[in-house]
């Protein structure tokens, strides 16, 4: 019997056109789902109604600036005229401190509240980015505001005790009671924020969102389709070190994702996902006792991220499986949590990215675009030799970043063998010269961590020079 025109015999019955009425059903379903989505977007857009409120607080801060200088001028005049005793000076200074603390509270509310409830403020990489802004969220903001109010109340109470001869006992008692109420409420708020963070951690841990942005893949699928990264990830096997350490189990990966959430909020999570890390890693999970040779103090200093602000580089050298990529990803993750934008890729992926830009005649623009990332990670240099044109592209990247931004480079080859990797002694010399001028070079010597249960199959790890 001949098959109907919409049925083909290959691999069973497959339909080339939907069943009758299916299109109309889908149309109705799409229309039905569009209305709630549009309503939700409209409600979400109402957040911009808060923007004028924050600008109003900016005007209020201007009023406090005027009040500060007005009080300061009064103090100077009284001191010059000799009408200011020690008590007057102390009270005047406390008034100035009070104004400053209220102004600090205002700026925290303005910037933190706007960032949390209205729109992101893209300050990543800005040299004046506040430390607290990189890990602010609604919970943290409430606790910070409560502690700021306690500080202001402390100043007011201190003013009463300094001027105790002109303050009634009734006012002192009520001032003390109100101050203790502020302390108690701030303590309760801080205590309640703990369980909230724990619930957020468990939610993130169960939700399948790994730090590297691999959906539910975690460590098992380091090249998952869910990876939200800026560079395509061909399967080159170059990420061996990333999963080398066996130092992070899937449950630990979920914990690290929750940790990133609690430290950096959604901003840190989005930076971690956009970085394109192959798997979630943390410095705390690195087995520092496994390598035979490792400068642990230097690794600890790198974790403080001073090299990023100094625009210096890091070169991690060692045999395969010694945890170089683990360290690079862990440092990069910490940088994301601190508010820096980071981009991770293997050397093959960097070459492909730059080659595409060069073919399109926009290599210079692409290198300039990478300036928005304070830290770039070039993984697995030396796993295979580069062609002359590819080596030139790596040189262009290193030369452009010189004293402009930080690089972390991992390699299983000692610097003395980079001429074999980069196919040319002159190019290798130029790359090394610019890379190591301002850099921390760390050698990780040891056996392959992945082969620790298999005896290494008779191979020995080459020494790193």
């Amino acid at each position: 019997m001949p098959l109907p025109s919409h049925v083909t015999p290959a691999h069973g019955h497959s339909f080339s056109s939907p069943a009758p009425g299916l299109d109309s059903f889908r149309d109705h379903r799409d229309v039905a789902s569009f209305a709630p989505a549009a309503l939700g977007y409209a409600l979400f857009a109402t957040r911009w109604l808060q923007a004028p409120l924050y600008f109003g607080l900016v005007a209020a801060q201007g009023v406090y600036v005027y009040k500060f200088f007005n009080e300061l001028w009064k103090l100077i005049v009284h001191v010059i005229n000799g009408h200011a005793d020690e008590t007057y000076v102390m009270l005047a200074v406390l008034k100035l401190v009070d104004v400053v603390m209220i102004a600090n509270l205002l700026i925290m509310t303005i910037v933190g509240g706007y960032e949390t409830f209205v729109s992101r403020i893209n300050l990543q990489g800005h040299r004046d980015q506040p430390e607290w802004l990189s890990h602010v969220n609604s919970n943290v903001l409430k606790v910070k505001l409560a502690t700021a109010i306690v500080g202001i109340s402390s100043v007011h109470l201190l003013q009463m005790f300094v001027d105790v001869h002109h303050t009634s006992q009734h006012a002192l008692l009520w001032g003390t009671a109100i101050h203790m109420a502020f302390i108690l409420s701030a303590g309760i708020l801080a205590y309640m924020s703990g369980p909230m963070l724990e619930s957020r951690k468990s939610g993130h841990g169960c939700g399948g969102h790994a730090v590297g942005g691999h959906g539910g893949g975690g460590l098992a699928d380091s090249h998952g389709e869910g990876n939200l990264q800026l560079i395509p990830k061909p399967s080159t096997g170059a990420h061996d070190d990333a999963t080398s350490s066996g130092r992070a189990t899937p449950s630990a990966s979920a914990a690290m994702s929750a940790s990133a959430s609690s430290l950096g909020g959604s901003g840190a999570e989005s930076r971690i996902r956009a970085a394109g890390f192959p798997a979630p890693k943390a410095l705390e999970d690195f087995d520092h006792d496994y390598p035979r040779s490792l400068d642990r103090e230097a690794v600890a200093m790198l974790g403080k991220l001073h090299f990023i602000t100094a625009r210096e580089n890091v070169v991690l050298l060692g045999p395969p499986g010694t945890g170089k990529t683990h360290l690079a990803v862990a440092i990069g993750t910490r940088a994301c949590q601190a508010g820096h934008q980071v981009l991770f890729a293997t050397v093959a992926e960097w070459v492909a990215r730059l080659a595409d830009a060069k073919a399109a005649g926009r290599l210079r623009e692409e290198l300039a675009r990478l300036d928005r990332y304070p830290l770039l990670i070039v993984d697995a240099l030396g796993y295979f030799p580069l062609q002359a044109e590819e080596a030139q592209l790596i040189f262009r990247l290193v030369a452009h970043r010189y004293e402009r931004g930080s690089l972390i480079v991992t390699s299983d080859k000692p610097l003395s063998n980079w001429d074999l990797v980069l196919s040319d002694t002159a190019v290798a010399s130029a790359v090394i010269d610019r890379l190591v001028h301002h850099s921390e070079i760390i050698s990780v010597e040891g056996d392959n961590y992945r082969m620790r249960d298999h005896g290494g199959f008779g191979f020995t790890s080459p020494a790193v020079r």
Side-chain angles (χ1 to χ4, degrees):
M1 179 185 298
L3 292 172
S5 60
H6 62 277
V7 178
T8 60
H11 301 89
H13 292 190
S14 62
F15 294 90
S16 59
S17 61
L22 186 58
D23 284 339
S24 59
F25 169 76
R26 287 175 177 169
D27 292 341
H28 289 301
R29 185 177 61 185
D30 291 342
V31 171
S33 62
F34 173 77
L39 180 60
Y41 283 125
L43 290 175
F44 183 62
T46 60
R47 72 191 189 279
W48 289 103
L49 293 174
Q50 292 192 39
L53 304 183
Y54 291 109
F55 285 106
L57 289 179
V58 172
Q61 194 173 30
V63 172
Y64 268 97
V65 171
Y66 170 78
K67 181 176 176 59
F68 177 90
F69 285 103
N70 188 39
E71 294 291 339
L72 180 61
W73 176 251
K74 287 181 180 178
L75 174 61
I76 294 173
V77 170
H78 278 73
V79 170
I80 293 175
N81 293 335
H83 299 153
D85 57 8
E86 185 178 354
T87 301
Y88 178 85
V89 173
M90 188 177 299
L91 288 173
V93 171
L94 286 175
K95 282 184 180 180
L96 296 178
V97 172
D98 184 32
V99 171
V100 171
M101 293 186 69
I102 294 177
N104 291 341
L105 176 62
L106 276 173
I107 194 64
M108 193 179 300
T109 304
I110 293 168
V111 179
Y114 186 90
E115 165 109 352
T116 304
F117 300 108
V118 180
S119 180
R120 298 288 299 174
I121 303 175
N122 188 18
L123 293 178
Q124 285 75 24
H126 195 283
R127 63 181 182 179
D128 295 328
Q129 179 185 0
E131 182 273 335
W132 54 267
L133 187 60
S134 63
H135 49 79
V136 71
N137 54 48
S138 57
N139 232 18
V140 173
L141 186 61
K142 286 186 290 187
V143 174
K144 285 183 177 292
L145 294 180
T147 54
I149 291 172
V150 170
I152 295 170
S153 174
S154 301
V155 174
H156 278 275
L157 189 60
L158 182 58
Q159 285 177 307
M160 290 184 181
F161 280 104
V162 169
D163 197 24
V164 67
H165 299 294
H166 298 90
T167 306
S168 65
Q169 185 177 4
H170 178 77
L172 282 174
L173 289 174
W174 273 108
T176 304
I178 292 172
H179 180 64
M180 296 304 297
F182 282 142
I183 293 177
L184 181 62
S185 61
I188 294 174
L189 186 60
Y191 174 78
M192 291 178 61
S193 68
M196 291 178 185
L197 287 178
E198 290 299 323
S199 65
R200 286 184 61 189
K201 288 182 182 180
S202 60
H204 283 283
C206 303
H209 292 285
V211 172
H214 301 292
L219 291 176
D221 181 14
S222 64
H223 300 286
E225 293 298 328
N227 190 8
L228 302 178
Q229 53 200 3
L230 303 181
I231 304 176
K233 298 286 242 189
S235 180
T236 62
H239 291 310
D240 289 343
D241 275 353
T243 53
S244 68
S245 26
R247 302 172 177 112
T249 61
S251 60
S253 302
M256 280 182 276
S257 177
S259 176
S261 173
S262 63
L263 285 174
S266 59
E269 285 184 294
S270 63
R271 287 189 292 271
I272 291 171
R273 285 194 298 269
F277 298 128
K281 298 293 178 184
L283 283 176
E284 294 76 11
D285 297 312
F286 186 80
D287 188 355
H288 288 81
D289 296 327
Y290 188 80
R292 289 194 299 269
S293 176
L294 175 66
D295 191 341
R296 293 162 180 80
E297 291 185 3
V299 172
M301 284 299 299
L302 292 178
K304 296 181 180 179
L305 308 177
H306 297 320
F307 76 97
I308 297 180
T309 55
R311 300 176 182 177
E312 297 176 347
N313 303 319
V314 177
V315 181
L316 299 170
L317 303 174
T322 52
K324 301 183 300 297
T325 303
H326 183 129
L327 290 173
V329 171
I331 294 170
T333 300
R334 185 168 290 187
C336 290
Q337 293 168 349
H340 298 293
Q341 286 186 302
V342 181
L343 204 53
F344 175 100
T346 64
V347 65
E349 293 160 351
W350 282 115
V351 166
R353 179 191 187 109
L354 298 177
D356 290 343
K358 182 179 180 180
R362 51 178 181 82
L363 179 58
R364 187 185 300 272
E365 290 78 7
E366 179 66 16
L367 291 172
R369 198 178 74 84
L370 292 173
D371 288 343
R372 73 180 67 175
Y373 298 93
L375 176 61
L376 301 180
I377 301 177
V378 181
D379 189 41
L381 180 66
Y383 277 78
F384 52 87
L386 300 176
Q387 300 298 321
E389 292 185 1
E390 296 172 334
Q392 287 287 344
L393 291 173
I394 293 298
F395 168 74
R396 289 289 299 273
L397 176 63
V398 173
H400 182 81
R401 298 287 293 183
Y402 178 65
E403 297 184 337
R404 183 182 279 116
S406 296
L407 285 168
I408 294 181
V409 178
T410 72
S411 177
D412 67 333
K413 299 292 191 297
L415 295 177
S416 58
N417 287 355
W418 278 22
D419 57 335
L420 303 177
V421 176
L422 299 173
S423 305
D424 186 274
T425 303
V427 173
S429 178
V431 169
I432 294 172
D433 175 65
R434 288 162 176 79
L435 188 63
V436 305
H437 182 210
H438 306 293
S439 71
E440 181 73 40
I441 302 176
I442 296 180
S443 295
V444 189
E445 299 183 19
D447 298 324
N448 192 313
Y449 195 92
R450 290 183 294 275
M451 297 300 175
R452 66 193 184 281
D453 297 326
H454 304 287
F457 292 106
F459 294 96
T460 58
S461 297
V464 177
R465 300 189 296 276

